[in-house]
Structure formats: C-alpha cells, structure tokens
Amino acid sequence: MAKMNMLHAINSALDITMAEHPQACIFGEDVGYFGGVFRATSGLQEKYGQHRVFNTPLTEQGIMGFANGLAAFGAPALAEIQFADYIFPAFDQIVNESAKFRYRSGNEFNVGNLTIRTPYGGGIAGGLYHSQSPEAYFAHTPGLKIVVPRNPYQAKGLLRAAIKDDNPVIFFEPKRLYRASTGEVPEEDYSIELGKAEVVTEGTDVTLLAWGAQMEIIEDAAKRASEQGISCEVIDLRSILPWDMETIAKSVTKTGRLIVSHEAPITNGFGAEIVATIQQECFLHLESPILRVCGLDTPYPLALEKEYVPDALKVLAAIKQSVEF
Amino acid sequence: MSNPNNVSLNISHDLEFIDGHALNIPTLSILNEDGDIHHGATAPDIDESTALRLYETMRFIRALDERMQAAQRQGRVSFYMQCLGEEAAVTASAAALDQDDMIMAQYREQAALHYRGFTLDQFMNQMFSNERDLGKGRQMPIHYGSAALNYMTISSPLGTQIPQATGYAYGQKIKHIDPQTGELNSAIDNITICYFGEGAASEGDFHAGLNMAAVHKSPVIFFARNNGYAISTPADEQFKGDGIASRGVGYGIKTIRVDGADALAVYAATKKARDIATTTGEPVLIESIAYRLGAHSTSDDPSGYRSKDEEANYQACPIERFRKWLVKQNWLNEEEDVKAKETIREDILAALKRAEVIAKPPLEELVSDVYDTPIPSLQRQYEQLKNHIKQHPDAYPVTAGRIK
Ligand SMILES: Cc1ncc(C[n+]2csc(CCOP(=O)(O)OP(=O)(O)O)c2C)c(N)n1
Ligand SMILES: [Mg+2]
C-alpha cells in the first residue's frame, strides 16, 4: 500500500496496462510529454515511447474515431478527452459507433478494447464549460458502460476493470477530487467489479445514493443527519451503466426512503431513471416519495456556483423532508 | 519544419494572395475508351489471373446490381444501392491490395467485398436479413461486413470510418515501430484502405481522419470516390476547391487523382500507394473520378435533379473499357464471357429465391451483442418480452414458434 491521490492511482492503472499490452496506446490532447493538463499521464511517454503515448491534434471526434479504429484492430485504446464538457464533438463516434460496433456487425467486429477517460464535474470555478456532468446523455445509449470512481482506491480498481472489460467504457473522473482525495492504494494490480454499487455506510432510516464527487457531499449530509438522530444508509452507485438495481432496491426495502443526488441538472438526469425503477421495485415498502437533490436546470454557473450545487445542506433538508413526510 | 509554427517561411515582399485553385492537379489515365494504352502511358504490371478476377468481379457486380434493383422494385427487398459506373474504381483498387489489408468502406463498394471472396449467398442473406446474415439481420440491405475477409461492417453515419481507418492502420503499424528510435524497423505487412464519397468528405470526420493520419503517420490509403453527386447534391454545391485531391496537399499527404473508369490507372495508382504506405508508414490520398451512372439508391429518381443530356454525356462503361483491353490481350474468350453472364444471372435469381425463404434471426439475437454478455436490466427486459410473445403468439409470427 502507498498513499496516493486520485491522479497517482489513475496513472498507476494506466502504467500497469501499458506494461501488460505491448500495443496499448494512450492518446489525447496534451497527454504526451506534458502528461495531460491534470498530469494523469505523467511520465508514461518517457516510459513507453512517443509511439504509444502521444498528443493528438485538437479534434475530439478524431480522437474517438481513431480510438474506435485502434480498438477494433485489437489494441487497448486508452483515449483521454481533456474535459467532459468537450466530449460532444465526439458524441457521434461514441453513440453511433463505439456503442453499436458489436451489435451492428453481428459480433464480426467490436471495440471492447476501448476506454475513454475524461474529467467531469464542478467545484473548480470552471463555469459552464469546465464543470459539466454529462453521464446521462451516454446512459441513454445501449452498448456503453459508464463508471465513476469516488476516491483513489476506487479509481485504480475500477479503471483497471474498465480497461479489461470487453465493452467500450466511459470512465468519468471527478476532477475536483484529483488531488483533494488521497488514500491508501495497493501498488500492485487489482480490479473492482463493474456494475456493482457499494454500501459505504449502513443505516436504517433513509438511503442516500450518489456517485463520484457527490459521494463526499452525501456522506457529509449523512454525518449531520446522524447528529440529529437520523440513520442514513449511504451507497456509491459506482457504475451508471449497467447500474446495480438490486443493491439499491434491497437497501430501500429496508429503509423505506430514498434520496438520489447528482450534480447534473435534475431533468432527465440519471437520478430520474433510478427513481422510476425503484418506485416500481419497492412500491409497497416506500414510506415517503423518493427525492432528488440535483443541479438546477441551468447551464453550470460561475459566480453563483454555491447556490447551484446540490450541497450537503440541501441533501440534509431533503433527508428531513423524507423522514418527516 | 524547424520553426515553432511548422511552416515554410519563404519571405516575400510582394503583397500577393495564392489563388484558391493554384494547384493544377492532373488526372492519371492509362487505358482509353477503345481498350488501348494511351500514348506515353505505361500499363501497370498486372498478371492474367488478377486481371481476369478483376473483370469477373465487375461482371458479377453489374449483374447483381441490375437484379437487386429490380428485386427492390418488385418489393422483395426494402432497399438497394448500385455502383454503376464505379465498378473499376472500387474493384481495381481492391485488386491492388493484399487479401489481409483492411477495407473500411462507405456502402457502394460491394465490388471490393466480392473481390475478397464474399459469396453470392452471403450477399443475399444480408439483403434479406435472414438468420444466416453475418450481421444477424440488424442492418438495412447492403450493410455488409466480414471479419474473415477483413471487410469492416458498413455503418450508415457518413464519414465515421475515416478517422477509424486512421486508428486501425496505426494499430497495424505499431509492431513495426522500433521503440528506441520511433522509426519503422520493417516494412508494414498490412495496411488499411478507406473508401468514401466526395459528399462524405464534407464531414468533420474526414478532416479529423486525414489530419491525424498525416500527423501520426498511419498507413491508410484514403480512396475518395468523386462520382459527382451526394444523393441529389452536385459536387459544385458540395465544395469550391479543386476536388478532394487538393485537400490532401493541405494535410501534407501524398495525393493522386485518377480516372476512376480506367481500371488500369486505378490499379497502378493503388499499387503505388500501397508501396508508399507499407514502406514509409504514411497515408496516401487517391481521388477517383467516375460518374455515378445510376440513382443514388432505390429511394431516389435522378430525373428530378439532373438532365438526360448530362447523363448521356457520361455513359461510358468502365467494365466495357477493361473488357476490350482483356480481349486485345487474348486473355478473355468473348463467347465464354457471354455464356458466363447468362449463368451469373441464373445463379443470382436462384440465390435470391433461396435467401428469401430462410427464417429471420431468432428472438435472442434482438438482445445479443449489445454487450459481450447481456447486462442484467436487458436480461429482465428479454424475459418480459418472451412472456409477452408467448401470450400473444399470433401477433409475433416471426419468432413466436421458436421461443425457448
Ligand atoms: C452523417 C450522415 N448524414 C446524412 C446521411 C444521409 N446520406 C446517405 S448517403 C448520402 C450522400 C453521400 O454522398 P457521397 O458521399 O458523395 O457518396 P455516394 O453516395 O455518391 O457514393 C447522404 C446525405 C448519412 N447517411 N449520414
Ligand atoms: Mg458522391
């Protein structure tokens, strides 16, 4: 074990992959010698050569088209999109190509070797275009897997699993936590199974569900709630697609209450899918309406970021509303 | 370049703009309409068996195109696309490749696929989306693909295969790169050819794919089929530059324009392009000029957007031109050729009748291959659907009888 921040943990997962596969390539804007704008790929070009770790021209659709081709060839394609806000020029390559490669060819071809890494989320004074959480757009696309880690240990294990998984995976990295979140991380290889949520804290009164950077917020809210005598069960969804309905349903069957929280705008956010499914699965066990604490239906703001974000206080208010219903 | 801006710095004191059409791009032409080699042109080195395979492929594809166009009119298939006029461009370029080179096509390149060995029944099974279609009946007619034949499955969104070809070819190159120097340590054994229309070349993916191929040195042959039209939009409403070829120079890519109705010119250019790609690892752009003699697809009628006069002007048949040359080489027996055409037509009709009665894919193919294995939510949806169909078998006759 070593103390690592999330960037070190991600770098370690990439390093293991590059050592494992002689044809694995890391590419994206500024990921080469410089090591990426957040330095997630630091030192990898020196170690594995310019032909395997390289800067691309400034074209997200090109990066993803290239990645699809390289993955279809059979090489692990580790593509970085510099900010999730800039993934949209590549939307067609991801949604119409990566996601449908296997299905449309009857499994003659596939891009299971593809992993897309991209920093997402707010909290860094990034305004409209350095703060978005676009997971819901992709969750509407059969064929993709979507993963979001909450801390360094999770980041390394989930990233390794995403890379080894034989399907295209988008790996959203909570950039606010890149350096802020540190913890003990094994230096050796390990994986955390995709598609499984984790019960982080057990509780009895209300289930709180989030993923990525929002986990910190709901854990904070849970702590404040416990001071007021409310016991929260805190769950990290970890995988958005596929998502672990069973673990959530089991928890809600026990607590009778659910609050889902994400930073993305509330309307059609992934929380909507969870709420619709859980009310169907747990209808007779529900003690109160399921609530969502999310971003407003606005572009991500700058000066009024504090007002916009679903912070711990807003989650706490929802907890009380749910328990007192 | 040795300066930070990566440009040639030819300082000038004259305020002068370079004309948008400064390049005067020649078009390679080797074979004339009578099947003779042009004066001053050199015929490529092509052996008899390759030349005959090339011809037989074009002959077959012309017959298939005619039959399937008619089959669509009869309502037997939903959709079809002919390649009339472009047979030589596609077949001769495929003939200049290695069998293991990857082909990433747009959709009008059925001749390249047949050249590789895709059988008549395989064509039919795809068009009738029956259970023997390699694509499991999921895509509209003519979206062929075959891993065994290194022919990437066609995707409807235009241009997407262009940057993919860059990535695929990069993968083909990696094992030939010396990790110490970053240079090639051996000739590349297999490369990728990427076909696309002059219309698709307006997509952003075209720019991204060519630029990345040049920057990262991917061994791709970009083969632009400039056939004058994108559905109804003529090329002069598509771009103002000198064809697609002029763009190659902008990306720093070796480029050639060829007469696409001239099988020998296409063959010669593609052979040379392959040599460049395998030995330097760099991309090449070929722009082929061949008029789209037929409609865009069975869904349009060209009389609505181009004149009979124009069509009459470009009627020259690339297959006939090459046939004349073969006869002059004494490689083709004309009597046997006529007989073969008759047999092909009969074979096609028989195959069509076979394919149309083969069952559609079973229900499980609705949910397979979305992922390597179905995810839990999809499994639940599938069970639900099966139960529903079992309760209403008459409403779902294609699958109801076969549900396990
Ligand atoms: C992204 C996208 N936009 C539009 C279409 C609809 N479409 C299909 S073919 C076509 C014209 C393509 O023309 P061109 O690239 O010149 O190829 P050609 O048909 O002439 O062989 C269009 C607009 C599509 N398939 N994909
Ligand atoms: Mg065209």
Side-chain angles (χ1 to χ4, degrees), chain A residues 51 61 97 103 108 144 167, chain B residues 147 155 170 205 366 371-372:
Chain A
H51 64 301
Q61 69 188 102
E97 299 293 315
Y103 193 77
E108 288 286 292
L144 299 176
N167 298 286
Chain B
S155 167
Y170 194 84
D205 272 354
L366 177 62
Y371 295 93
D372 58 341

Side-chain angles (χ1 to χ4, degrees), chain B residues 257-286:
Chain B
R257 176 176 290 154
V258 298
D259 175 355
D262 175 348
L264 291 182
V266 173
Y267 184 83
T270 313
K271 265 256 173 266
K272 190 71 200 275
R274 189 177 190 280
D275 282 347
I276 295 169
T278 54
T279 56
T280 67
E282 291 180 29
V284 182
L285 172 63
I286 300 175

Side-chain angles (χ1 to χ4, degrees), chain B residues 106-108 156-158 197-200 203 225 227 229-231 296:
Chain B
Q106 179 159 311
Y107 49 55
R108 212 182 289 285
S156 302
L158 287 170
E198 89 293 338
E203 291 285 353
R225 292 184 294 97
N227 61 8
Y229 284 89
I231 309 185
H296 168 70

Side-chain angles (χ1 to χ4, degrees), chain A residues 22-25 27 48-52 54-59 61-75 89 92-93 96-109 141-145 165-168 196 241-243 245-246 277 280-281, chain B residues 102 104 134-136 138-139 143 145-148 150-161 163-168 170-175 177-180 182 203-206 208-209 211-212 215-216 218 365-373 375-377 380 384:
Chain A
Q23 299 192 327
C25 291
F27 47 94
Y48 298 103
Q50 268 191 45
H51 64 301
R52 292 184 55 208
F54 49 89
N55 293 337
T56 62
L58 219 166
T59 168
Q61 69 188 102
I63 293 168
M64 282 315 309
F66 185 99
N68 280 328
L70 185 61
F73 168 77
D92 185 52
Q93 281 288 347
N96 269 336
E97 299 293 315
S98 316
K100 299 172 175 60
F101 226 90
R102 191 191 297 274
Y103 193 77
R104 74 180 182 211
S105 71
N107 205 22
E108 288 286 292
F109 300 96
T141 305
L144 299 176
K145 291 195 176 182
D165 189 272
D166 200 14
N167 298 286
K196 295 275 180 262
L241 198 62
W243 70 280
M245 189 260 282
E246 269 160 35
T277 305
Q280 190 183 333
E281 291 297 312
Chain B
M102 174 51 72
M104 297 176 85
L134 290 177
K136 302 183 185 166
R138 291 175 183 145
Q139 292 209 73
H143 290 63
S146 164
N150 299 299
Y151 192 93
M152 184 62 75
T153 302
I154 302 300
S155 167
S156 302
L158 287 170
T160 51
Q161 82 279 18
Q164 289 171 13
T166 302
Y168 198 97
Y170 194 84
Q172 290 170 312
K173 191 178 84 159
I174 290 179
K175 66 171 189 269
I177 303 176
D178 183 324
Q180 252 55 55
E203 291 285 353
D205 272 354
F206 166 86
N211 190 43
M212 286 183 75
V215 170
H216 301 305
S218 287
E365 304 295 18
L366 177 62
V367 297
S368 65
D369 302 333
V370 179
Y371 295 93
D372 58 341
T373 50
I375 61 173
S377 56
R380 287 192 294 272
Q384 217 172 27

